[in-house]
């Protein structure tokens, strides 16, 4: 499942910093707020092992008008030890009759159904003992096509003629198959599935496998029964079915697999890009894993109301429309890239997750971390011009480090039990840290042995379940390296190291002294027993900046290393390619020698990015001064690389949000304009001959940054182009729409907002609607902010997109942040009911409160959620409160020195 955000708000960040010398005092404050310890786990037991399924024969008949469904289940089951009850998972389902037929014996009718709603289980009681052996469990039941975007649910769409209709669709991961049919809803309890759907004859019916029969339904000539082929052995969370109206485009991969992309009616053209990516991706994975794709077909389908980015159901992958559909004329470059990555992610799961499945949710990271890493490998193969691995560092690696530096982070492998705990771990640790440590591992092992180990793992465990240790064993056998010993330090304990390095010239050699300590958002680690990591470290020099002069495994707290033949004037850098999951702090002399490599571009782009990001994080943690980082940022005046600018932009956005709590916010905007103006002038507004994907991304980023900061020429040109766009004289290119919309809204009035809402209403494409929704929060007037918040909960906005509208308001301005928080409190019941249990509630909370920088707000947020519990967001709430305290400390510590630096700069501007 892809749960990563499809965009980065100016306010989508993890500010986590604080004064060094008073770390322990701040930790006491965390404890006094009750933020340092996670809540107690809820009692939970897995299903008993005395009865298990072999095959589910399942027939469902959804009613698309009354939003109910009827179901008939006949499950072949194995009774392993004598029992007079069967315990299964069941939620929001009413069982009408249940019986068990032992093979060759008489039917035994269940005499009681005991629902344990809190644990989402049902116990079927039988009047006599079920003896060991096989038999058939028969259950007739009814359920609701809910509007919660989980289980078997309804998704609203509008036909080309304007009529509102509903499709019936599924989202079962992690624990919602039980809302569609009674089942053993645990990933390790695998079985085969024979699925039939009874549906209106004018609707498309899809499931994991290909259709093998379609026949009239006896009781109604307008209804047909569609039967699908038997699935391989698989987990319940990967089962899927869809009933609705769709068009499709299709092709065959070079391996002969039928690939289809299903789109809303009339939009088949918009499925062609994803189809092309999928058709290239299947053979790529087959070759990489050396294991064929095991099903005869794969469908990719766009669902109107969909909570995640996408879901990897075996053979029937479901997507948000914006993660699958590309309009050749109206889709921007970042949307193409997003679709390519999400398609790559979900198709990787067809092997890694579906063919071999984690034994329990503790190992979720194996699925998601691996898919989040290999999606980049796949996109790099399909689109080398995207420079996607540099983007990985900004999108995943640094995002994971921000979260993992908090006291309220968690290890990659986290013990989970109750269903409410599972949703909490669909976060940047499972996905982005997981992907980052696999990238580090791949680099440590080398591609050849890594592929060999992956093949051993997939072959050994296909159609079975595996744990993290099983993957380490396969990779260890393939590489001969101590994989388990190294990786356990990264997956079983939270956090990551800060490597401090200083150098000494000894004749013709360079002596390096390295030491490692846990990196904390709150400053130097002050605990007694500091965790240690086994860190693969690469070292490069200015002699050859793109190759490692030395590779070592740092397996102790301190190490001395001698680099042979390094001249005194050569720089030395750790973490070539920013692959190792650690931060680096250089001695002053080493840092000084590296900085010219930023200005003259002799450091590779990903190393320039990593150096700046490390410095920024050290400043947020109070280990160095923020002013020092601002000085380094000015060295990026000649920077040509999109991803380096993107990371710089994110960090300046974090600083801007922090300084919105001061009376010198305008001064930081002047700094932003100074940093971004030269690149803005070089790029201009219109594409030049020979430009490509990354130039389009960079232009949109830079113009949006300048426009938001109020750069006069950018604002005037944005207004002119917006007017022409609205009047139909000159339609804005898709890549310019976000920056232009943002700029005119930020510096506009009620008329501008009304025009934008009209454009939203007229937009036929979900991508354009989302583009507008994300920037609405830029408006500054309190009255208009309220209008945007009301719009967020209106019928005009799809349920999953309400989060981005409210989050945009919170990230747009200081007043917006306060208004968004009040709006959430005032409308909590409706919002919680809409997203209950899912990760969207966590994202909503995170986006809305994390930008605060006043101590008392942490207490207010904590108090609100104590009286309005959100179990699946408990960890997120604690992380947010921690971040608020860290922001407040950062502000107290550095605000005055930043202000003085900005004033001094104004008085005597630096020369480029």
């Amino acid at each position: 499942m892809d749960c990563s955000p499809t965009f980065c708000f100016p306010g989508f960040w993890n500010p986590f910093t604080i004064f060094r010398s008073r770390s322990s005092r701040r930790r006491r404050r965390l404890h006094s707020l009750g933020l340092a310890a996670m809540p107690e786990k809820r009692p939970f037991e897995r299903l008993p092992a005395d009865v298990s399924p072999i095959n589910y024969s399942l027939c469902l008949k959804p009613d698309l008008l009354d939003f109910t469904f009827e179901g008939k289940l006949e499950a072949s089951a194995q009774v392993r030890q004598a029992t007079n009850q069967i315990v299964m998972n069941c939620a929001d389902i009413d069982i009408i009759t249940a019986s068990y037929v032992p093979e060759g014996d008489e039917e035994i009718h269940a005499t009681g159904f005991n629902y344990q709603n809190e644990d989402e289980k049902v116990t079927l009681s039988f009047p006599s003992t079920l003896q060991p052996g096989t038999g058939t469990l028969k259950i007739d039941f009814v359920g609701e096509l809910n509007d919660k975007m989980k289980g078997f649910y309804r998704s609203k769409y509008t036909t080309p003629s304007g009529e509102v209709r509903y499709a019936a669709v599924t989202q079962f991961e992690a624990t919602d198959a039980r809302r569609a049919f009674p089942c053993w809803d645990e990933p390790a309890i695998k079985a085969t599935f024979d699925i039939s759907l009874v549906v209106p004859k004018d609707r498309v019916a899809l499931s994991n496998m290909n259709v093998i029969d379609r026949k009239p339904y006896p009781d109604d000539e307008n209804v047909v029964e569609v039967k699908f082929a038997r699935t391989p052995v698989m987990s319940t969370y990967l089962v899927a079915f869809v009933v609705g109206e769709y068009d499709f485009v299709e092709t065959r991969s070079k391996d002969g697999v039928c690939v289809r992309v299903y789109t809303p009616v009339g939009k088949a053209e918009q499925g062609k890009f994803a189809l092309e990516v999928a058709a290239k991706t299947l053979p790529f994975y087959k070759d990489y894993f050396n294991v064929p794709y095991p099903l005869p077909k794969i469908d990719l389908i766009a669902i109107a109301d969909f909570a995640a980015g996408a879901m990897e159901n075996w053979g029937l992958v479901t997507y948000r429309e914006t993660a699958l559909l590309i309009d050749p004329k109206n889709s921007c470059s970042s949307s193409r890239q997003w679709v390519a990555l999400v398609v790559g992610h979900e198709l990787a799961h067809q092997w890694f997750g579906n063919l071999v499945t984690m034994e329990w949710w503790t190992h979720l990271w194996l699925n998601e971390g691996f898919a989040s890493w290999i999606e980049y490998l796949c996109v790099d193969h399909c689109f080398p011009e995207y420079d996607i691995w540099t983007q990985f560092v900004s999108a995943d690696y640094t995002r994971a480090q921000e979260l993992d530096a908090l006291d309220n982070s968690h290890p990659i492998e986290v013990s989970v039990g109750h269903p409410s705990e599972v949703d909490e771990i669909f976060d940047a640790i499972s996905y982005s840290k997981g992907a980052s440590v696999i990238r580090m591992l791949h680099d440590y092992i080398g591609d050849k042995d890594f592929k060999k180990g992956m093949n051993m793992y997939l072959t050994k465990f296909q159609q079975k379940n595996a744990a993290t240790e099983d993957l380490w064993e396969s990779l260890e056998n393939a590489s001969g390296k101590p994989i388990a010993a190294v990786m356990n330090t990264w997956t079983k304990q939270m956090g990551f190291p800060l490597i401090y390095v200083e150098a000494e010239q000894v004749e013709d050699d360079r002596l390096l002294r390295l030491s490692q300590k846990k990196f904390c958002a709150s400053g130097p680690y002050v605990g007694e027993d500091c965790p240690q990591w086994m860190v693969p470290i690469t070292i490069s020099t200015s002699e050859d900046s793109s190759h490692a002069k030395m590779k070592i495994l740092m397996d102790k707290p301190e190490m001395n290393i001698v680099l042979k033949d390094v001249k005194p004037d050569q720089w030395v850098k750790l973490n070539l390619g920013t692959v190792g999951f650690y931060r680096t702090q250089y001695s002053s002399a080493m840092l000084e020698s590296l900085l010219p490599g930023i200005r003259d571009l002799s450091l590779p782009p990903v190393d320039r990015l990593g150096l700046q990001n490390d410095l920024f994080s050290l400043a947020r943690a109070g280990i160095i001064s923020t002013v020092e980082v601002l000085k380094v940022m000015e060295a990026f005046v000649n920077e040509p690389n999109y991803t380096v600018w993107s990371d710089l932009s994110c960090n300046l956005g974090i600083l801007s949000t922090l300084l919105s709590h001061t009376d010198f916010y305008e001064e930081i905007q002047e700094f932003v304009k100074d940093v971004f103006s030269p690149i803005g002038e070089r790029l201009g507004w219109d594409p030049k001959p020979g430009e490509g994907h990354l130039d389009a991304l960079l232009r949109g980023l830079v113009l949006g940054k300048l426009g938001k900061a109020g750069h006069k020429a950018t604002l005037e040109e944005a207004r002119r182009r917006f007017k022409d766009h609205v009047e139909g004289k000159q339609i804005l290119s898709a890549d310019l729409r976000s920056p232009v919309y943002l700029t005119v809204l930020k510096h506009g009035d009620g008329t501008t907002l009304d025009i934008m809402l009209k454009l939203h209403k007229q937009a036929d494409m979900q991508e354009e609607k989302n583009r507008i929704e994300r920037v609405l929060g830029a408006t500054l007037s309190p009255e208009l902010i309220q209008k945007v918040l009301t719009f967020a909960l209106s019928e005009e906005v799809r349920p999953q997109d309400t989060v981005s509208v409210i989050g945009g308001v919170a990230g747009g301005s200081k007043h917006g942040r306060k208004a968004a928080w009040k709006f959430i409190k005032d409308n909590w019941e409706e919002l919680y009911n809409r997203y209950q249990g899912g990760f969207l509630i966590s994202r909503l909370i995170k986006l809305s409160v994390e930008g605060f920088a006043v101590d008392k707000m942490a207490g207010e947020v904590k108090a609100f959620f104590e009286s309005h519990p959100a179990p699946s967001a408990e960890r997120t709430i604690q992380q947010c409160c921690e971040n608020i305290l860290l922001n407040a400390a950062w502000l107290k510590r550095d605000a005055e020195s930043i202000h003085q630096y900005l004033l001094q700069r104004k008085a005597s501007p630096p020369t480029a």
Side-chain angles (χ1 to χ4, degrees):
M1 184 158 61
D2 197 305
C3 301
S4 47
T6 60
F7 50 85
C8 182
F9 291 120
F12 190 80
W13 48 293
N14 280 332
F16 56 79
T17 24
I18 198 120
F19 36 78
R20 270 3 44 225
S21 56
R22 288 169 284 177
S23 273
S24 55
R25 211 174 88 190
R26 179 221 151 236
R27 284 201 171 89
R28 285 201 297 276
R29 193 160 75 247
L30 275 179
H31 278 284
S32 71
L33 275 168
L35 298 179
M38 279 305 296
E40 285 182 28
K41 289 188 174 292
R42 295 163 74 176
F44 173 77
E45 282 183 13
R46 283 167 70 166
L47 294 171
D50 49 7
V51 182
S52 58
I54 299 163
N55 167 267
Y56 294 85
S57 177
L58 176 66
C59 180
L60 290 170
K61 185 184 180 190
D63 186 323
L64 300 174
L65 298 176
D66 289 343
F67 307 137
T68 58
F69 61 89
E70 298 169 15
K72 192 180 268 300
L73 172 68
E74 294 195 1
S76 303
Q78 175 90 38
V79 177
R80 297 179 189 283
Q81 57 189 60
T83 179
N84 61 358
Q85 59 183 35
I86 295 177
V87 182
M88 305 169 77
N89 292 114
C90 181
D92 303 332
I93 278 175
D94 288 323
I95 294 173
I96 297 164
T97 62
S99 63
Y100 179 75
V101 187
E103 197 172 313
D105 211 334
E106 288 185 14
E107 188 166 6
I108 308 166
H109 289 274
T111 49
F113 317 136
N114 178 20
Y115 297 95
Q116 295 104 56
N117 292 335
E118 181 72 13
D119 290 332
E120 300 181 345
K121 291 175 182 171
V122 65
T123 300
L124 308 177
S125 301
F126 294 90
S128 56
T129 302
L130 312 182
Q131 297 301 330
T134 55
T136 304
L137 175 66
K138 299 180 179 182
I139 303 177
D140 288 357
F141 58 94
V142 291
E144 178 197 8
L145 288 175
N146 70 68
D147 60 355
K148 303 291 186 288
M149 294 186 286
K150 62 182 185 179
F152 198 14
Y153 71 93
R154 61 187 187 263
S155 170
K156 185 164 80 170
Y157 64 98
T158 307
T159 65
S161 64
E163 185 188 342
V164 171
R165 290 185 183 165
Y166 290 85
V169 303
T170 56
Q171 170 58 42
F172 291 163
E173 191 177 23
T175 56
D176 291 313
R178 62 194 65 176
R179 291 173 205 285
F181 57 101
C183 56
W184 289 265
D185 198 12
E186 295 182 1
I189 308 180
K190 289 188 168 188
T192 57
F193 290 81
D194 294 310
I195 290 170
S196 301
L197 297 173
V198 178
V199 300
K201 66 181 180 185
D202 61 350
R203 296 295 195 268
V204 172
L206 301 170
S207 188
N208 305 81
M209 297 296 287
N210 48 300
V211 175
I212 52 170
D213 191 22
R214 184 184 174 96
K215 63 186 181 193
Y217 193 62
D219 305 341
D220 188 341
E221 62 178 19
N222 295 313
V223 172
V224 292
E225 183 175 0
V226 182
K227 284 191 173 180
F228 300 91
R230 177 169 290 188
T231 70
V233 173
M234 62 188 283
S235 302
T236 47
Y237 80 88
L238 295 166
V239 173
F241 15 92
V242 174
V243 180
E245 295 175 281
Y246 300 93
D247 286 345
F248 67 85
V249 285
E250 73 175 332
T251 189
R252 282 198 178 273
S253 73
K254 72 177 189 189
D255 303 319
V257 178
C258 178
V259 185
R260 284 184 177 181
V261 174
Y262 283 84
T263 73
V265 172
K267 297 186 178 180
E269 180 81 5
Q270 294 178 21
K272 286 186 173 174
F273 178 75
L275 185 72
E276 176 195 329
V277 175
K280 282 183 184 173
T281 297
L282 282 176
F284 171 76
Y285 286 147
K286 181 211 160 204
D287 292 345
Y288 195 88
F289 298 132
N290 199 18
V291 174
Y293 174 72
L295 306 187
K297 63 94 175 174
I298 188 153
D299 299 327
L300 294 73
I301 185 166
I303 305 293
D305 294 325
F306 197 76
M311 175 62 210
E312 68 267 19
N313 317 298
W314 216 358
L316 176 57
V317 185
T318 45
Y319 294 79
R320 275 192 189 197
E321 288 185 9
T322 49
L324 190 69
L325 304 182
I326 290 295
D327 181 325
K329 286 200 183 77
N330 293 303
S331 287
C332 60
S333 301
S334 58
S335 291
R336 287 173 182 274
Q337 181 176 297
W338 174 242
V339 167
L341 283 167
V342 180
V343 169
H345 181 102
E346 304 308 333
L347 296 195
H349 278 312
Q350 306 302 304
W351 285 262
F352 211 95
N354 300 8
L355 183 64
V356 178
T357 311
M358 73 238 146
E359 194 280 330
W360 185 246
W361 300 109
T362 298
H363 306 282
L364 171 79
W365 87 275
L366 260 190
N367 272 17
E368 298 304 347
F370 185 84
S372 298
W373 169 75
I374 207 168
E375 70 185 61
Y376 283 86
L377 197 71
C378 162
V379 168
D380 191 47
H381 165 77
C382 294
F383 303 100
E385 69 276 15
Y386 285 7
D387 183 30
I388 203 73
W389 279 116
T390 306
Q391 294 192 57
F392 174 91
V393 175
S394 185
D396 282 274
Y397 173 99
T398 58
R399 186 167 151 244
Q401 287 189 335
E402 286 172 4
L403 184 56
D404 205 28
L406 297 177
D407 289 348
N408 285 294
S409 181
H410 64 83
I412 282 180
E413 287 186 75
V414 59
S415 172
V416 292
H418 197 277
S420 68
E421 294 166 17
V422 179
D423 282 313
E424 267 201 291
I425 58 168
F426 284 89
D427 66 358
I429 300 298
S430 294
Y431 283 73
S432 299
K433 184 181 180 183
S436 298
V437 299
I438 286 172
R439 174 171 169 255
M440 177 172 68
L441 175 64
H442 173 266
D443 186 69
Y444 172 60
I445 294 177
D447 191 59
K448 186 181 169 192
D449 285 345
F450 188 87
K451 282 161 85 166
K452 185 176 157 192
M454 290 307 309
N455 172 260
M456 288 162 67
Y457 171 79
L458 288 169
T459 305
K460 181 176 180 180
F461 293 100
Q462 59 185 318
Q463 298 197 356
K464 299 192 187 85
N465 296 80
T468 303
E469 290 71 24
D470 298 315
L471 179 59
W472 297 163
E473 187 183 348
S474 296
L475 291 170
E476 203 158 290
N477 289 339
S479 67
K481 291 185 173 178
I483 305 303
V486 171
M487 294 308 291
N488 284 343
T489 67
W490 297 97
T491 66
K492 293 188 183 298
Q493 60 185 1
M494 73 180 202
F496 58 92
L498 171 66
I499 308 290
Y500 179 75
V501 55
E502 52 188 14
E504 184 187 331
Q505 190 73 25
V506 181
E507 296 177 350
D508 293 336
D509 304 333
R510 193 77 55 91
L511 171 67
L512 300 183
R513 295 186 185 88
L514 309 183
S515 59
Q516 62 159 302
K517 275 227 166 136
K518 184 180 189 297
F519 178 75
C520 300
S522 53
Y525 184 83
V526 290
E528 288 185 10
D529 297 319
C530 188
Q532 296 294 311
W533 286 264
M534 293 178 74
V535 193
I537 288 180
T538 50
I539 305 167
S540 59
T541 70
S542 46
E543 185 181 17
D544 183 354
S545 62
S546 55
H547 290 92
K549 186 173 178 74
M550 183 181 274
K551 292 185 175 187
I552 59 159
L553 185 65
M554 185 176 182
D555 55 1
K556 48 176 82 84
E558 296 178 355
M559 280 181 95
N560 289 349
I561 297 159
V562 176
L563 285 180
K564 294 283 186 189
D565 303 321
V566 179
K567 297 183 179 68
D569 62 345
Q570 289 179 348
W571 52 251
V572 170
K573 184 182 180 299
L574 265 62
N575 206 3
L576 173 67
T578 319
V579 173
F581 197 74
Y582 56 89
R583 295 221 179 262
T584 308
Q585 184 183 2
Y586 295 96
S587 66
S588 302
M590 287 186 79
L591 183 60
E592 277 306 311
S593 70
L594 282 166
L595 294 183
I598 291 176
R599 199 177 277 271
D600 66 18
L601 310 179
S602 58
L603 272 171
V606 71
D607 290 289
R608 299 195 295 270
L609 187 163
L611 190 60
Q612 178 267 139
N613 197 282
D614 278 352
L615 288 169
F616 189 75
S617 293
L618 289 168
R620 285 167 85 178
I623 294 170
I624 63 172
S625 154
T626 305
V627 169
E628 294 308 306
V629 186
L630 291 175
K631 288 176 181 172
V632 170
M633 284 177 169
E634 294 186 86
F636 283 86
V637 63
N638 303 314
E639 182 58 57
N641 184 279
Y642 159 70
T643 312
V644 177
W645 276 114
S646 173
D647 199 66
L648 204 58
S649 169
C650 254
N651 288 340
L652 280 169
I654 290 166
L655 201 53
S656 293
T657 302
L658 184 79
L659 298 179
S660 68
H661 297 275
T662 70
D663 55 6
F664 60 91
Y665 178 70
E666 287 311 314
E667 272 87 346
I668 193 69
Q669 299 314 301
E670 290 302 317
F671 181 86
V672 169
K673 285 186 269 188
D674 288 349
V675 171
F676 278 82
S677 293
I679 182 73
E681 282 167 27
R682 288 203 297 275
L683 284 167
W685 279 80
D686 298 304
K688 300 174 183 66
E691 284 190 353
H693 174 79
L694 292 166
D695 300 292
L697 293 180
L698 180 57
R699 180 173 288 107
L701 173 80
V702 170
L703 291 175
K705 203 74 179 170
L706 287 169
K708 191 178 178 201
H711 183 256
K712 192 165 179 288
T714 306
L715 176 54
E716 286 170 2
E717 183 65 9
R719 281 175 170 157
R720 186 187 71 74
R721 290 186 181 234
F722 182 67
K723 185 170 182 286
D724 287 353
H725 176 70
V726 172
E727 290 172 359
K729 288 182 190 167
Q730 179 71 52
I731 299 301
L732 279 166
S733 73
D735 285 314
L736 288 180
R737 287 184 202 171
S738 279
V740 167
Y741 292 168
L742 176 73
T743 302
V744 297
L745 264 172
K746 170 96 179 186
H747 306 281
D749 55 17
T751 307
T752 318
L753 180 60
D754 288 342
I755 293 169
M756 203 62 82
L757 293 174
K758 188 178 173 190
L759 286 178
H760 181 278
K761 198 172 184 67
Q762 290 169 349
D764 178 48
M765 206 183 166
Q766 196 57 32
E767 180 188 324
E768 175 73 355
K769 285 187 186 288
N770 284 174
R771 201 181 347 256
I772 293 167
E773 287 160 2
R774 284 180 217 143
V775 298
L776 291 175
T779 193
L780 290 176
S781 126
E783 184 188 331
L784 298 180
I785 284 171
Q786 215 46 52
K787 186 172 179 177
V788 171
L789 288 168
T790 304
F791 172 76
L793 274 179
S794 72
E795 286 288 314
E796 297 290 319
V797 178
R798 287 192 177 159
Q800 69 267 26
D801 299 322
T802 297
V803 173
S804 55
V805 181
I806 298 173
V809 170
S813 64
K814 184 181 178 181
H815 180 79
R817 197 153 39 249
K818 289 178 179 170
W821 172 231
K822 183 177 186 306
F823 185 79
I824 284 175
K825 290 188 292 182
D826 292 347
N827 295 277
W828 177 251
E829 199 172 326
E830 182 178 347
L831 288 163
Y832 185 71
N833 188 45
R834 181 182 284 200
Y835 304 124
Q836 56 183 313
F839 62 86
L840 281 175
I841 201 77
S842 295
R843 188 166 296 164
L844 176 69
I845 294 165
K846 179 184 172 67
L847 289 174
S848 304
V849 306
E850 213 169 36
F852 287 114
V854 182
D855 284 355
K856 69 172 187 184
M857 279 306 303
E860 184 181 313
V861 170
K862 178 175 181 286
F864 177 79
F865 288 111
E866 278 176 351
S867 57
H868 301 81
S872 66
E874 282 174 344
R875 194 188 303 272
T876 298
I877 293 160
Q878 297 207 339
Q879 289 164 349
C880 289
C881 292
E882 183 178 349
N883 271 325
I884 294 168
L885 295 177
L886 290 165
N887 289 342
W890 187 12
L891 205 54
K892 283 176 201 155
R893 187 180 64 241
D894 275 4
E896 187 50 37
S897 60
I898 294 170
H899 191 195
Q900 288 309 315
Y901 173 70
L902 294 175
L903 289 176
Q904 175 195 331
R905 219 178 145 272
K906 214 173 184 176
S908 53
T911 51

